[in-house]
Amino acid sequence: MTAFVAVVCSTVPAAAATTPATWWKPAVGATWQMQFTGKLDTSIAADVYDIDGADATKAQVTQLHAAGRKVLCYVDAGSWEDWRADAARFPAAVRGKALDGWAGEQWLDIRQWDTLRPILADRFATCKAKGFDAVDPDNMDGYANPTGFPLTAADQLLFNRRVADLAHSLGLAVGLKNDLDQITKLQPSFDFAVNESCLQWKECALLTPFITAGKPVFHVEYKASLCPTPAGLRFSSIRKNLRLDAFRAAC
C-alpha cells in the first residue's frame, strides 16, 4: 500500500472505442469494508467490500452480491509482488527498487506499457470473470517514490489513465488509490477514490474533487485517534489495523 503524486497530459488508448457504455457508479456516502488477510468475513454490514482479486473466489463474490454488496477487486498495478501466480511474467527490466516496508514488492517501470498492459489486462479480466464490480488498483504513484526509474509526472498521469481505460473497457468501475497531487486531472477518469491515512498526513481536503463530482472517497485510517471523519467531507471512513484482516471500526 502507498501514497502521493502531481501533473500533465495524456493520450487516450485506441481501445476506448470498444468501451462499454456504462458500469457501476458508486454513491457518495456508501459504507465499506476492506479485508486482504485472514478468512473473509462476509457478515459485516457494509455496502461495498474491497478484497484481494487473486485470493478471492467467484463463490465469495457471488455470496457478497446475494447479500446486496458491491465488490472491489484489489489488484497491484504499479508494483511487482513475488508471491503472485503471474510473478514470472514480469521481466527483470521492468522491476525496480523495493517498496519501503513491503517485503517482496518492487516498483514497476510504468513507461513500459506494452509489457505491462497484457498482464494487467489478464488480471482485470480475472476480476470480471469472478463477478467483481470494480477494480482497486494499488501503487499508482510510483513517480513520487524512489522506484529506480526516472519516472515523471507525465508518465504517471498517462499510466493511471491507461489503467482506468483498461478497467472501463471491461465494464468495470475503477478507483484512484491515493495519488493526491494529480486528483484534479485524474478525477474525470475514475469512479471513486480509495485513500489511506489522509487524516494522518493532513491531506483530506485534496480529495474533495471526487465528492464534488458525486463520487465517493473510500477512506481508511490505521490509528485509533484519527478515526473521526472531518466534518463536512462526506467521506466513507473506517479504521483498520495494518494486517488488513476482518477488523473494522466505522468512523
Side-chain angles (χ1 to χ4, degrees), residues 151-163:
L151 303 181
T152 66
D155 294 329
Q156 193 69 57
L157 196 63
L158 178 58
F159 176 78
N160 290 2
R161 286 175 171 159
R162 282 171 161 170
V163 168

Side-chain angles (χ1 to χ4, degrees), residues 5-9 143 153-155 157 181-182 185:
V5 187
V7 332
V8 183
C9 54
Y143 104 95
D155 294 329
L157 196 63
D181 292 337
Q182 296 194 115
K185 291 181 179 292

Side-chain angles (χ1 to χ4, degrees), residues 117-243:
R117 185 192 183 284
I119 303 171
L120 291 176
D122 285 348
R123 287 182 171 187
F124 289 6
T126 296
C127 295
K128 182 70 174 181
K130 290 180 178 180
F132 282 93
D133 302 286
V135 176
D136 170 18
D138 201 5
N139 293 320
M140 302 279 279
D141 56 357
Y143 104 95
N145 290 276
T147 63
F149 303 112
L151 303 181
T152 66
D155 294 329
Q156 193 69 57
L157 196 63
L158 178 58
F159 176 78
N160 290 2
R161 286 175 171 159
R162 282 171 161 170
V163 168
D165 289 341
L166 186 59
H168 286 156
S169 74
L170 294 169
L172 293 165
V174 62
L176 179 64
K177 190 70 155 281
N178 295 326
D179 197 1
L180 300 181
D181 292 337
Q182 296 194 115
I183 277 179
T184 300
K185 291 181 179 292
L186 287 171
Q187 177 273 124
S189 298
F190 290 82
D191 305 294
F192 56 92
V194 178
N195 176 266
E196 296 175 290
S197 306
C198 71
L199 277 176
Q200 180 178 348
W201 303 112
K202 298 179 173 59
E203 298 170 330
C204 291
L206 295 174
L207 290 148
T208 56
F210 274 90
I211 300 296
T212 300
K215 301 174 181 180
V217 173
F218 297 119
H219 163 230
V220 59
E221 294 288 338
Y222 299 107
K223 293 186 177 181
S225 61
L226 296 175
C227 194
T229 306
L233 284 183
R234 300 170 64 205
F235 289 179
S236 302
S237 298
I238 58 174
R239 179 168 60 86
K240 299 285 295 182
N241 56 50
L242 285 171
R243 294 189 300 276

Side-chain angles (χ1 to χ4, degrees), residues 15-197:
T18 61
T19 299
T22 189
W23 44 83
W24 172 57
K25 305 293 197 305
V28 171
T31 57
W32 78 303
Q33 159 69 329
M34 177 174 62
Q35 182 180 348
F36 301 145
T37 66
K39 182 180 179 181
L40 181 63
D41 181 353
T42 60
S43 68
I44 292 171
D47 300 321
V48 177
Y49 266 66
D50 191 352
I51 60 179
D52 189 277
D55 294 342
T57 65
K58 184 174 183 177
Q60 288 173 323
V61 176
T62 299
Q63 181 182 3
L64 288 168
H65 281 161
R69 322 296 187 208
K70 294 292 187 178
V71 195
L72 312 184
C73 186
Y74 174 85
V75 175
D76 209 331
S79 68
W80 174 80
E81 299 161 312
D82 65 4
W83 64 91
R84 297 296 186 183
D86 61 359
R89 294 184 65 184
F90 294 83
V94 303
R95 306 201 312 261
K97 290 185 176 180
L99 272 71
D100 185 25
W102 298 97
E105 293 194 49
Q106 294 173 249
W107 289 104
L108 293 172
D109 186 352
I110 58 172
R111 300 168 300 173
Q112 298 194 48
W113 183 245
D114 288 345
T115 299
L116 297 178
R117 185 192 183 284
I119 303 171
L120 291 176
D122 285 348
R123 287 182 171 187
F124 289 6
T126 296
C127 295
K128 182 70 174 181
K130 290 180 178 180
F132 282 93
D133 302 286
V135 176
D136 170 18
D138 201 5
N139 293 320
M140 302 279 279
D141 56 357
Y143 104 95
N145 290 276
T147 63
F149 303 112
L151 303 181
T152 66
D155 294 329
Q156 193 69 57
L157 196 63
L158 178 58
F159 176 78
N160 290 2
R161 286 175 171 159
R162 282 171 161 170
V163 168
D165 289 341
L166 186 59
H168 286 156
S169 74
L170 294 169
L172 293 165
V174 62
L176 179 64
K177 190 70 155 281
N178 295 326
D179 197 1
L180 300 181
D181 292 337
Q182 296 194 115
I183 277 179
T184 300
K185 291 181 179 292
L186 287 171
Q187 177 273 124
S189 298
F190 290 82
D191 305 294
F192 56 92
V194 178
N195 176 266
E196 296 175 290
S197 306

